[in-house]
Amino acid sequence: MKIVHVVGARPNFMKIAPVWKAISTLTDWIQTLVHTGQHYDDNMSTIFFNELGLPKPHVNLEVGGGTHAYQTGQVMILFEALMLKDRPDWVLVYGDVNSTAAASMVCAKLGIKVAHVEAGLRSFDREMPEEINRLVTDQLADLLLTPSLDGNYNLIREGIHPDKIHFVGNVMIDTLIQLKPLSDQQWVTLSKDLNIEKKCFILVTLHRPSNVDDAAQLTLLLASLEELSSNIKIIFPLHPRTRNRLVSQGYDFKRSSLHFIEPLGYLAFLALQAHAKVVVTDSGGVQEETTYLGVPCLTMRENTERPVTVTVGTNKLIGRDVHLMLQECQLVLNGTYKKGQIPLYWDGKVGARIVQALQLS
């Protein structure tokens, strides 16, 4: 059995590791790792291969940045050539980035079977490029591996045959469980370097266009965070996109009361999440990780494709309302916040269930 894994962006790297590890136990299965290079910043890509125990990519398409159309088109052109040379039995795609949809379209036209890890998630907001990628990928995939039961319901409602759908759980939590002890070790150095203590800081991570491409919204967010920083330290790892927007707006980093740092590797960022008082984010993966860790999460988005983090977990949708964000942060600081639970099948055994689904399909 020949398997090709396609990865391209930061969240994909955490999802592939448990699947790679589970397949590695099968002597008659051959795996190839294809990195599209969609995220090319060293802190956002290469470092993850080192930390997650993944091999270096067998192929790097080196697509780099660009518009959605450019990235998708480049991946399709380069990936098609690769698939024509060495036709695998299965191509596994992860998440909802441009690389995911592009690889799925190539395989569908070549008659190569596709398995979508993290299928069925929906924000129901087609203004989000990721939503388009999810819809396209799930219509084309031969095997749909869902992280939560709402994913099953979404797919069935969209006309996907139930036999294609397998509820396996959240594969990213496999990685979190495996690496949590190593992450805890990093906390000792991090806490000294950043001069922070457990539950005495707020962690912020923002990168989506709705928050950082809108100059007025970004200015409001930063002003609100600076107001909040008078009561508690704020650690803000800067995504390259966010940094570029701030630089273009002439933001004065030296005079800011926020503690900006460079993007972190997975272990270091997980350590900060685990020990934060509250996390303010617009990231999908962070919503899941904080739910598992039991850390309050305030999501600066109008919707989420991970509703289980709201209905079961510790997440709360804030939208673009910076005043509500301040109010909710204050509630957390005062000790008032809902207690979440860990959703079903977020148990560290998802990689094995994915292998079982592939064997049955």
Side-chain angles (χ1 to χ4, degrees), residues 65-96:
T67 66
H68 290 281
Y70 174 83
Q71 281 191 335
T72 303
Q74 286 296 106
V75 172
M76 289 184 70
I77 292 168
L78 298 171
F79 189 66
E80 180 187 55
L82 185 64
M83 292 298 94
L84 286 171
K85 283 176 56 181
D86 187 16
R87 299 177 70 95
D89 297 289
W90 281 97
V91 169
L92 271 62
V93 296
Y94 297 78
D96 54 20

Side-chain angles (χ1 to χ4, degrees), residues 92-104:
L92 271 62
V93 296
Y94 297 78
D96 54 20
V97 296
N98 292 334
S99 301
T100 306
S104 300

Side-chain angles (χ1 to χ4, degrees), residues 165-213:
I165 305 168
H166 290 257
F167 171 41
V168 294
N170 190 335
V171 72
M172 194 167 69
I173 302 303
D174 284 25
T175 295
L176 190 158
I177 292 171
Q178 176 190 345
L179 296 184
K180 182 66 164 55
L182 291 176
S183 174
D184 290 340
Q185 293 174 19
Q186 291 216 0
W187 168 252
V188 177
T189 302
L190 266 176
S191 60
K192 290 180 181 178
D193 290 345
L194 298 176
N195 191 27
I196 52 177
E197 297 179 0
K198 294 180 180 180
K199 305 303 177 184
C200 292
F201 66 96
I202 292 174
L203 177 63
V204 176
T205 169
L206 299 168
H207 73 282
R208 291 189 180 271
S210 58
N211 284 317
V212 305
D213 286 4

Side-chain angles (χ1 to χ4, degrees), residues 48-332:
F48 287 100
F49 292 105
N50 299 329
E51 292 184 347
L52 296 176
L54 289 168
K56 289 184 179 180
H58 299 93
V59 179
N60 191 331
L61 302 182
E62 298 182 344
V63 169
T67 66
H68 290 281
Y70 174 83
Q71 281 191 335
T72 303
Q74 286 296 106
V75 172
M76 289 184 70
I77 292 168
L78 298 171
F79 189 66
E80 180 187 55
L82 185 64
M83 292 298 94
L84 286 171
K85 283 176 56 181
D86 187 16
R87 299 177 70 95
D89 297 289
W90 281 97
V91 169
L92 271 62
V93 296
Y94 297 78
D96 54 20
V97 296
N98 292 334
S99 301
T100 306
S104 300
M105 285 188 280
V106 167
C107 291
K109 293 187 176 186
L110 294 179
I112 298 171
K113 291 190 293 186
V114 174
H116 184 200
V117 177
E118 202 179 66
L121 298 184
R122 297 291 182 270
S123 67
F124 304 101
D125 179 3
R126 294 201 179 192
E127 292 186 6
M128 295 178 63
E130 297 89 346
E131 184 77 352
I132 305 303
N133 290 337
R134 296 179 201 117
L135 289 163
V136 169
T137 302
D138 285 341
Q139 285 296 320
L140 297 175
D142 301 276
L143 181 62
L144 298 111
L145 303 160
T146 62
S148 50
L149 285 172
D150 57 278
N152 292 49
Y153 306 145
N154 291 335
L155 293 170
I156 291 171
R157 186 170 56 249
E158 292 169 8
I160 304 296
H161 196 286
D163 289 349
K164 291 184 175 183
I165 305 168
H166 290 257
F167 171 41
V168 294
N170 190 335
V171 72
M172 194 167 69
I173 302 303
D174 284 25
T175 295
L176 190 158
I177 292 171
Q178 176 190 345
L179 296 184
K180 182 66 164 55
L182 291 176
S183 174
D184 290 340
Q185 293 174 19
Q186 291 216 0
W187 168 252
V188 177
T189 302
L190 266 176
S191 60
K192 290 180 181 178
D193 290 345
L194 298 176
N195 191 27
I196 52 177
E197 297 179 0
K198 294 180 180 180
K199 305 303 177 184
C200 292
F201 66 96
I202 292 174
L203 177 63
V204 176
T205 169
L206 299 168
H207 73 282
R208 291 189 180 271
S210 58
N211 284 317
V212 305
D213 286 4
D214 183 331
Q217 174 69 5
L218 184 56
T219 299
L220 278 173
L221 274 167
L222 290 171
S224 299
L225 291 170
E226 287 175 349
E227 178 183 340
L228 192 59
S229 69
S230 62
N231 297 320
I232 187 170
K233 191 166 188 175
I234 294 180
I235 306 297
F236 196 152
L238 270 181
H239 187 286
R241 180 191 192 98
T242 310
R243 177 179 290 280
N244 290 340
R245 296 297 182 270
L246 291 175
V247 169
S248 67
Q249 288 182 214
Y251 183 75
D252 192 342
F253 289 94
K254 291 183 179 180
R255 296 187 62 182
S256 176
S257 59
L258 308 180
H259 193 105
F260 293 102
I261 60 176
E262 292 299 314
L264 297 170
Y266 177 68
L267 295 177
F269 189 74
L270 181 60
L272 288 183
Q273 284 188 88
H275 297 304
K277 185 72 173 179
V278 58
V279 177
V280 177
T281 189
D282 55 16
S283 163
V286 171
Q287 296 172 52
E288 295 174 325
E289 290 164 350
T290 49
T291 276
Y292 183 84
L293 295 167
V295 175
C297 179
L298 303 177
T299 299
M300 301 299 298
R301 286 169 52 183
E302 301 291 344
N303 48 56
T304 179
E305 66 282 0
R306 295 164 171 85
V308 71
T309 63
V310 176
T311 58
V312 177
T314 58
N315 187 25
K316 184 164 187 176
L317 289 180
I318 302 300
R320 290 160 55 91
D321 190 339
V322 295
H323 301 294
L324 179 59
M325 182 268 289
L326 286 175
Q327 293 173 13
E328 292 294 332
C329 280
Q330 195 57 55
L331 286 175
V332 176

